[in-house]
Amino acid sequence: MAVEKIYSSHSKYRHDIDGLRAIAVLSVVFFHVFPNWIKSGFIGVDIFFVISGFLISTIIFEKLDNGTFSFTEFYARRVKRIFPALTLVLVACFAFGWFTLFADEYKQLGKHIAGGAVFISNFMLWKESGYFDNVAEAKPLLHLWSLGVEEQFYIIWPILLWFAYKKRFNLLSIGIVIAIASFFLNIQQVKNDAVADFYSPQTRFWELMFGSILAWLILYKPSFSVTNGVTLDRWLSKAIYRDPHTNNGQTLASVISLFAFLLILYGFCEVDEIGFPGKWAIIPVLGAVLIIFAGPKAWINRTILSNKIAVWFGLISFPLYLWHWPLLSFAKIIGGEVLSLNIRITVVIVSVALAWLTYKFVERPIRLSKHGKAKVMVLVLIMSIVGYGGYNTYKLDGLPFRALAKQSKDFDVKNGIEGYAVCDLNELKTKNITLDYCLKSVNHKPNSAIIGDSHAADKFYGLTAVDKKNSWMLIGNSACPPVLGINVEASEKRCEDKFKIIFKYLIENKNIENVVLSFYGNYFKTDAYAADHVKDNFGPNAFKITSSNFHGNRSDLFFDGLNSAIKLLSANGKAVTLIVDVPELPFFPKDCFRNSFKMCEISKAKVLSRQAELRNIIDRLKKSNPTLKTFDPLDLLCNNDTCSYKKDGLIFYRDSHHLSLRGSNFFAERFINF
């Protein structure tokens, strides 16, 4: 991303390359901010890679030729070009995150600041998730992956060129071999691990190498010039113009430039993020190479790309790239749901303003003023401090002493409970079937068990903290309700097999007298409502409900599964209690907590409407099972007319459908009394 004007004995500054940069950066910005407007704007990064490879290699080739190449000078120029704006953005993110991010979020930001400071962001993100995942929006420094790839190229390529030049190897051959090998790895890797293919330098270097090969051909092969295609230029001139036209190569250059421009536009509309980069990346790479090759006199280059507005955006492209994503990411973190059009437009305007201010008052003064060595040392020192600050934030778990972090502890998830241990699965005779939840006391045999999915796990913590008379056990699996004879399935969880084992264990364990069923209450629905389900596109619509024993719609099958489970447990002497699920929230409690202006309430009438089918099933279960007890937490978690993530100033939810630790304790106190 970070390239500079090129002035040398063979090359003059080209306005059209700055214009090409403008297209690259604006496509990325608009893809991020208005993803429905430009489907594939992410290919702007690939255009940047070609430009960087071309300009950097041109500088190195020329300085090697005239004997003035110096690693010290080369990397000093890189530091002065990249560090000022990057340091400013990293510090700004650290400062803004101090006041807006929870401990886990700030911890991750600290790691990414440290990675950005030493240009290894692509490796860090490689291990976390994909670039196109929803969770990526919550990473303010996600975009630094491309800077990492570029800087890794800047480390390896100059050393390799210098060595090859000294040994009098053919530089073009080396470039071609590297490009072919990298492209081949890219094609292979995208099939095996698309995330690795996206972030890995060895599968991206071919894009920069295309620019490097073009630089070599332009510098060392005078015949490799669009102006030398006299015959083809003459044919094109006759085909296009009515009157005789001077055959100086400009017609051919304009045709090549137009074709390349249309190729890039095609890429913006048709390149698919699935399987990218892969073979798709050849479209923006080839388009960028051909535009640069066409030269500054080609019609597209001199009229569109050399336009003053395009050149201006090209000059601020690096700080614009750096600023836009953190602004958008923080806006989404604070705002929560999909941002309004006005906010998105504001993000673009502020990004452009900050980019211009950074370019005018930070980048240029530092790059062009005197005392170069001293500036480089200071910049390296400051970046080292920033990187260490990020690393320290990561190691100290997101600085939990910050005011926001301390206030948000209610959102923490408890990983372990003192006095409780994971069950011995051999005791359950699971036969290679794993369970997400199986905890019981290490000192007392359990006489009570709460079974189900994650909606059983969130209540277990409160039961163990509040109930001093009973010894509780948690057993179940995420996204698996406690049903028998039906299969509620999302992916390959084998829910039916797991609960067969769980029920068998409970029946054989005569010490367990009380069994509580707690589960997500809308498996049988076909629409997502809770904010987490909507965001992840993994709600009730993701589940299949099937049975070889029962027939009916999803709701009827779910009733049959619960009914069978309750009858089996009751017939074996277990006192069964069913917990009515807590209200689903169409908003994120964390967003509400950090944004006091956000409306975070839902009417009790809406909750009852959403749960109407569930409550009908429970009424049928009570009629079919007279000894069944039910516990309804609705009035505990809601006021007279509305429900929210908190009550009386206390936070009861950790996300849009799970109780917080405080909420779990509050629930348990009322449940035990019941």
Side-chain angles (χ1 to χ4, degrees):
M1 240 71 4
V3 286
E4 57 198 81
K5 290 184 179 180
I6 202 174
Y7 296 95
S8 65
S9 57
H10 298 98
S11 304
K12 293 182 179 181
Y13 166 60
R14 286 180 54 175
H15 293 86
D16 59 317
I17 292 182
D18 261 333
L20 185 59
R21 276 193 216 149
I23 289 177
V25 74
L26 291 176
S27 69
V28 174
V29 171
F30 276 82
F31 167 71
H32 287 152
V33 182
F34 308 106
N36 295 327
W37 293 11
I38 178 167
K39 174 188 173 183
S40 308
F42 54 86
I43 67 172
V45 173
D46 305 87
I47 297 172
F48 269 125
F49 283 160
V50 173
I51 296 172
S52 294
F54 175 77
L55 295 182
I56 291 301
S57 297
T58 300
I59 292 172
I60 296 172
F61 288 145
E62 291 184 336
K63 288 188 175 295
L64 285 172
D65 270 350
N66 58 34
T68 60
F69 179 77
S70 162
F71 285 108
T72 302
E73 181 196 8
F74 177 81
Y75 291 115
R77 288 169 64 95
R78 294 293 90 214
V79 168
K80 288 191 291 182
R81 180 69 181 94
I82 295 168
F83 279 33
L86 178 59
T87 304
L88 182 62
V89 171
L90 293 180
V91 171
C93 289
F94 186 85
F96 195 75
W98 179 282
F99 300 102
T100 58
L101 299 183
F102 298 121
D104 58 333
E105 297 167 332
Y106 205 50
K107 177 180 180 178
Q108 184 184 67
L109 177 66
K111 182 176 76 167
H112 292 168
I113 287 174
V118 293
F119 305 105
I120 58 170
S121 294
N122 53 321
F123 293 115
M124 287 184 170
L125 294 163
W126 177 353
K127 302 300 180 183
E128 291 177 4
S129 63
Y131 178 80
F132 301 105
D133 293 349
N134 285 335
V135 72
E137 295 178 349
K139 298 177 181 179
L141 297 176
L142 173 78
H143 62 323
L144 295 189
W145 74 269
S146 60
L147 195 59
V149 171
E150 274 196 2
E151 297 312 308
Q152 289 148 26
F153 176 80
Y154 293 160
I155 291 172
I156 295 172
W157 184 232
I159 295 173
L160 183 59
L161 277 183
W162 175 84
F163 177 79
Y165 188 86
K166 293 297 182 183
K167 296 297 182 180
R168 306 189 69 79
F169 293 145
N170 188 308
L171 303 185
L172 177 63
S173 299
I174 292 173
I176 292 174
V177 168
I178 294 174
I180 292 174
S182 176
F183 183 73
F184 176 78
L185 288 174
N186 160 52
I187 296 297
Q188 294 300 310
Q189 185 76 315
V190 76
K191 302 174 185 176
N192 305 319
D193 188 344
V195 175
D197 190 50
F198 191 91
Y199 288 122
S200 173
Q202 58 263 35
T203 57
R204 287 288 196 164
F205 274 4
W206 67 273
E207 300 180 38
L208 293 112
M209 291 308 308
F210 267 54
S212 299
I213 293 169
L214 178 63
W216 190 93
L217 291 171
I218 289 176
L219 283 173
Y220 298 120
K221 289 292 181 180
S223 60
F224 184 79
S225 171
V226 70
T227 58
N228 287 330
V230 178
T231 303
L232 184 55
D233 185 74
R234 184 169 57 251
W235 290 348
L236 288 171
S237 297
K238 289 180 178 180
I240 295 172
Y241 301 107
R242 184 176 60 188
D243 300 322
H245 199 79
T246 303
N247 301 128
N248 55 7
Q250 288 191 29
T251 302
L252 176 60
S254 295
V255 170
I256 291 173
S257 176
L258 177 61
F259 170 76
F261 193 72
L262 293 175
L263 189 64
I264 290 174
L265 291 180
Y266 172 81
F268 287 149
C269 300
E270 297 299 330
V271 170
D272 198 333
E273 63 189 41
I274 299 174
F276 191 84
K279 62 184 180 182
W280 284 107
I282 199 69
I283 292 174
V285 169
L286 182 60
V289 166
L290 290 177
I291 281 181
I292 296 172
F293 169 65
K297 294 182 179 180
W299 185 82
I300 290 286
N301 297 48
R302 73 174 187 269
T303 58
I304 297 177
L305 300 183
S306 296
N307 178 279
K308 289 184 178 180
I309 296 176
V311 171
W312 184 80
F313 274 105
L315 291 173
I316 67 166
S317 59
F318 181 50
L320 178 56
Y321 181 81
L322 290 180
W323 278 116
H324 85 280
W325 180 256
L327 290 172
L328 182 65
S329 180
F330 276 116
K332 288 183 176 179
I333 289 171
I334 295 171
E337 69 271 338
V338 177
L339 298 178
S340 68
L341 179 62
N342 288 339
I343 292 177
R344 291 174 181 273
I345 292 173
T346 301
V347 166
V348 173
I349 294 172
V350 174
S351 299
V352 172
L354 287 174
W356 179 78
L357 291 171
T358 303
Y359 173 75
K360 184 171 181 64
F361 297 108
V362 178
E363 275 194 345
R364 282 181 58 83
I366 291 176
R367 193 168 76 245
L368 301 179
S369 61
K370 299 178 180 179
H371 311 296
K373 291 183 179 179
K375 283 189 298 185
V376 169
M377 294 176 62
V378 171
L379 287 170
V380 171
L381 176 62
I382 294 173
M383 184 64 84
S384 301
I385 294 172
V386 171
Y388 176 75
Y391 174 77
N392 204 41
T393 299
Y394 171 74
K395 295 298 290 184
L396 295 178
D397 293 322
L399 308 183
F401 57 81
R402 292 175 300 118
L404 181 69
K406 286 195 287 187
Q407 295 169 19
S408 65
K409 285 189 178 296
D410 283 333
F411 294 114
D412 293 346
V413 178
K414 200 168 186 177
N415 294 318
I417 304 174
E418 187 176 353
Y420 285 78
V422 177
C423 310
D424 180 1
L425 292 181
N426 291 324
E427 182 184 349
L428 274 71
K429 302 173 184 177
T430 58
K431 297 180 181 179
N432 300 322
I433 294 178
T434 60
L435 296 174
D436 292 339
Y437 313 119
C438 193
L439 292 171
K440 62 180 183 177
S441 172
V442 296
N443 300 316
H444 306 285
K445 289 184 177 180
N447 71 328
S448 300
I450 182 168
I451 68 173
D453 53 21
S454 58
H455 287 223
D458 67 348
K459 298 171 183 67
F460 180 66
Y461 304 116
L463 293 173
T464 60
V466 172
D467 191 356
K468 303 304 180 184
K469 293 182 180 179
N470 298 295
S471 176
W472 284 89
M473 177 182 189
L474 167 67
I475 185 167
N477 206 83
S478 65
C480 289
V483 292
L484 186 65
I486 71 167
N487 194 34
V488 180
E489 203 71 80
S491 70
E492 299 298 324
K493 285 184 174 291
R494 300 178 65 184
C495 291
E496 187 174 17
D497 294 337
K498 292 182 179 184
F499 266 98
K500 283 180 181 178
I501 291 171
I502 291 171
F503 287 130
K504 186 174 185 294
Y505 170 80
L506 293 172
I507 290 168
E508 292 176 351
N509 194 326
K510 302 303 181 182
N511 196 59
I512 295 178
E513 302 170 347
N514 307 301
V515 177
V516 176
L517 311 181
S518 184
F519 52 91
Y520 171 66
N522 281 315
Y523 281 103
F524 42 81
K525 292 280 190 182
T526 56
D527 62 317
Y529 181 74
D532 288 274
H533 289 162
V534 173
K535 178 182 178 182
D536 299 334
N537 194 28
F538 187 82
N541 54 312
F543 290 85
K544 295 179 180 178
I545 302 179
T546 58
S547 175
S548 57
N549 304 317
F550 307 107
H551 302 282
N553 58 33
R554 290 166 66 92
S555 180
D556 290 336
L557 290 177
F558 199 77
F559 164 80
D560 290 330
L562 283 173
N563 194 38
S564 299
I566 293 167
K567 287 189 179 300
L568 177 66
L569 293 170
S570 299
N572 285 275
K574 311 299 180 183
V576 183
T577 303
L578 186 149
I579 295 174
V580 182
D581 194 23
V582 300
E584 296 175 89
L585 305 178
F587 46 78
F588 295 100
K590 283 188 175 183
D591 296 337
C592 301
F593 180 76
R594 106 174 93 211
N595 184 357
S596 58
F597 296 101
K598 189 175 177 64
M599 293 298 294
C600 293
E601 290 183 345
I602 177 176
S603 69
K604 188 182 288 188
K606 177 65 177 178
V607 173
L608 291 171
S609 174
R610 176 73 179 170
Q611 292 186 341
E613 209 167 348
L614 170 66
R615 292 176 181 274
N616 179 55
I617 290 173
I618 293 173
D619 287 341
R620 293 169 62 191
L621 290 171
K622 290 164 72 173
K623 291 177 182 177
S624 179
N625 302 275
T627 61
L628 174 67
K629 295 180 179 179
T630 60
F631 180 74
D632 188 352
L634 183 63
D635 290 333
L636 300 178
L637 301 172
C638 303
N639 294 314
N640 294 331
D641 300 316
T642 60
C643 304
S644 185
Y645 72 102
K646 62 182 179 180
K647 185 177 180 181
D648 300 328
L650 304 177
I651 297 171
F652 284 166
Y653 281 76
R654 75 166 186 258
D655 59 28
S656 62
H657 59 106
H658 291 103
L659 293 178
S660 67
L661 296 178
R662 190 188 296 275
S664 184
N665 289 341
F666 180 82
F667 169 89
E669 290 172 359
R670 275 65 179 175
F671 181 75
I672 297 305
N673 291 335
F674 162 82

